[in-house]
Amino acid sequence: MAGGVPARRPGARTTLTDAATLGLLDRVERACTGVVPPSADEIDVAFWGACHGGRQSCAGYLWERGARLNWIPPWEHRTALDAAVRRGATELVVWLRALGGVTAAERDRQPPGPAP
């Protein structure tokens, strides 16, 4: 289905990142509490996706599970804050700033040290 959510197909699977980006908190919670918990990298990607989607409840849940606030993904030089700003998710932007979130440009200007 062009531009929308595809019809359910047998064997189709929603990834943690898909669920977080779409704001499907119940699926995010299930993925994080399953037999095989997500890796730290998967949490970071899903957190970024939640912010990209403007999904503060999912972002908060993933933040509590150790997501790196100012992580920059390999596909785009933007932090979660940048993604939320682009989305126009004002409340999410305020929340990320309160946690210490910075833009990629701000992060680039910080003195070298351990990765945030």
Side-chain angles (χ1 to χ4, degrees):
M1 170 185 220
V5 176
R8 289 188 69 115
R9 294 182 304 271
R13 181 176 170 272
T14 302
T15 67
L16 173 59
T17 300
D18 294 336
T21 304
L22 294 170
L24 304 173
L25 184 57
D26 59 328
R27 292 186 189 187
V28 171
E29 290 171 342
R30 273 195 305 254
C32 290
T33 59
V35 175
V36 179
S39 69
D41 289 340
E42 290 171 315
I43 294 285
D44 289 338
V45 172
F47 176 78
W48 193 95
C51 293
H52 171 71
R55 310 302 182 162
Q56 187 168 344
S57 61
C58 289
Y61 184 86
L62 294 162
W63 167 250
E64 291 171 358
R65 272 135 198 88
R68 291 183 291 164
L69 182 62
N70 295 315
W71 175 77
I72 295 176
W75 63 85
E76 181 172 28
H77 192 72
R78 293 179 188 267
T79 64
L81 176 62
D82 289 313
V85 167
R86 179 176 56 195
R87 176 69 175 192
T90 306
E91 289 180 28
L92 178 56
V93 168
V94 170
W95 178 74
L96 290 167
R97 281 284 191 195
L99 292 175
V102 296
T103 66
E106 291 166 341
R107 183 176 173 213
D108 291 345
R109 289 191 299 264
Q110 293 176 344

